[in-house]
Amino acid sequence: MNSVRAFAPATVANVSCGFDILGFAIDAMGDVVEVREKKEPGLQVVSITGDGGRLPFEAEKNTCAVAIQAMLDELDQQVGMEIYLEKGLPLGSGMGSSAASAVAALVAANRILGEPFEKKQLLPFAMVAEKVACGAGHADNVAPSLLGGFVLIRDYHPLDVIKLHVPEGLHCTLLHPHFELKTSDSRSVLRDNVSLKHSTIQSGNVAGLIAGLFQEDFELIGRSLRDVIAEPYRATLIPGFYEVKEAVKAAGALGMGISGSGPTLFALSKGEKTVQSIIDAAQQVYDSIGLGVDTYHSAINTQGAFVLE
């Protein structure tokens, strides 16, 4: 029986000022999916571990199967595949959990089929799965998980995805407080209209962040990590947000923001020398408000998803 296992990394979406258009991958953690050929046509989710029994086994609801089926539909093929999902990412965390599952499944299934698609061509199929998972087929998680590095989604119609330069030494610290924030709740607090003033500020910060990445200007990156559109509303749903932000910046972080729709927070830093200070500062704040937190740190993942040999 032909069998392939693939890994897809966790991601940070939005990156403060880049709401729905920016994301990057991290090395610290991710999901593993094994896909096995079977004689009978159709997709079957056989095993899911690490999810606490919460994810669906139905092929039409599971992001792994939905993504693979979208790919098979494009190929107009009917084949049989078994899916074994190993969750390394917590659900509802803002780390691109559903995206990593879909991406890992696609990379594994694509290899089994003889790689009819290049890596970037798998992106639309992962977006179909994201729509099933969270109601919107955004690419700011699936694109960096698939391709690695920093990714800009310039447009969706047609889809235009651009990999950005990653400065050597750029590190990310993730702070995952012990509570779940639903994407639907996080989106429900956003406003439909944005003022011209805020649109101008946000545009300048997006441009500044991208320029900072290419120029390897860490101070410019830090100045540009400012979100005036989503963060002011979403921060109210995350206990201790502003206290943590002030503490980690004082500890040496370039800047801090909400990872995806939260509740995980991300802090970027130049090198690893300030990482422990950032973690300690955040931990003190969470201890003071009685909230547990898991912390992770890593360099930016520039490889993206890959087959585990």
Side-chain angles (χ1 to χ4, degrees):
M1 181 182 294
N2 195 8
S3 174
V4 176
R5 296 176 77 240
F7 170 84
T11 50
V12 169
N14 299 334
V15 199
S16 291
C17 54
F19 180 73
D20 279 356
I21 63 170
L22 286 176
F24 65 84
I26 63 170
D27 275 331
M29 55 204 306
D31 285 358
V32 173
V33 175
E34 180 177 353
V35 177
R36 301 177 186 174
E37 285 185 314
K38 65 185 182 77
K39 293 181 180 180
E40 303 79 12
L43 303 179
Q44 180 184 6
V45 182
V46 177
S47 171
I48 305 175
T49 60
D51 69 324
R54 297 170 56 192
L55 292 178
F57 279 80
E58 297 92 334
E60 67 276 9
K61 297 179 181 179
N62 184 283
T63 58
C64 297
V66 169
I68 294 174
Q69 187 61 58
M71 178 172 63
L72 294 175
D73 290 344
E74 179 67 20
L75 292 170
D76 194 22
Q77 289 188 17
Q78 292 186 357
V79 299
M81 294 184 181
E82 296 178 346
I83 300 166
Y84 300 78
L85 170 60
E86 303 168 24
K87 288 298 298 178
L89 298 177
L91 277 62
S93 62
M95 297 184 197
S97 178
S98 61
S101 298
V103 167
L106 281 169
V107 170
N110 192 47
R111 173 65 64 88
I112 281 182
L113 294 171
E115 298 192 324
F117 296 101
E118 295 180 2
K119 207 175 188 184
K120 194 172 183 179
Q121 293 175 316
L122 298 174
L123 185 54
F125 312 135
M127 292 169 61
V128 173
E130 280 289 81
K131 188 171 184 179
V132 169
C134 55
H138 296 298
D140 51 350
N141 281 122
V142 290
S145 185
L146 180 66
L147 304 173
F150 267 83
V151 177
L152 167 68
I153 298 90
R154 191 201 64 80
D155 200 356
Y156 281 92
H157 307 290
L159 187 62
D160 190 2
V161 175
I162 303 149
K163 284 197 69 173
L164 306 176
H165 178 70
V166 179
E168 186 176 351
L170 187 63
H171 272 67
C172 176
T173 301
L174 291 178
L175 309 168
H176 176 50
H178 291 176
F179 76 100
E180 184 175 335
L181 178 58
K182 293 181 179 179
T183 300
S184 57
D185 292 338
S186 194
R187 282 195 171 267
S188 70
V189 299
L190 300 180
R191 301 297 187 265
D192 291 330
N193 298 307
V194 177
S195 70
L196 178 62
K197 176 183 176 181
H198 284 163
S199 176
T200 303
I201 293 171
Q202 199 86 340
S203 298
N205 284 325
V206 171
L209 177 56
I210 293 172
L213 292 171
F214 278 97
Q215 295 176 5
E216 303 197 351
D217 186 334
F218 289 90
E219 287 70 27
L220 178 56
I221 291 171
R223 295 198 306 273
S224 302
L225 290 174
R226 181 186 175 203
D227 175 14
V228 296
I229 291 178
E231 183 178 290
Y233 302 106
R234 288 181 164 177
T236 62
L237 305 176
I238 302 174
F241 174 83
Y242 288 110
E243 293 86 346
V244 173
K245 187 172 187 175
E246 182 178 351
V248 301
K249 290 184 72 173
L254 298 173
M256 190 199 85
I258 302 169
S259 178
S261 57
T264 296
L265 309 178
F266 77 94
L268 294 180
S269 61
K270 182 179 181 180
E272 294 184 84
K273 60 182 182 296
T274 59
V275 167
Q276 193 56 52
S277 297
I278 291 169
I279 291 174
D280 291 342
Q283 186 70 63
Q284 287 184 0
V285 175
Y286 284 117
D287 287 345
S288 70
I289 63 176
L291 186 63
V293 61
D294 296 320
T295 61
Y296 314 90
H297 69 88
S298 79
I300 307 302
N301 177 313
T302 57
Q303 180 181 11
F306 60 92
V307 169
L308 294 165
E309 301 295 348

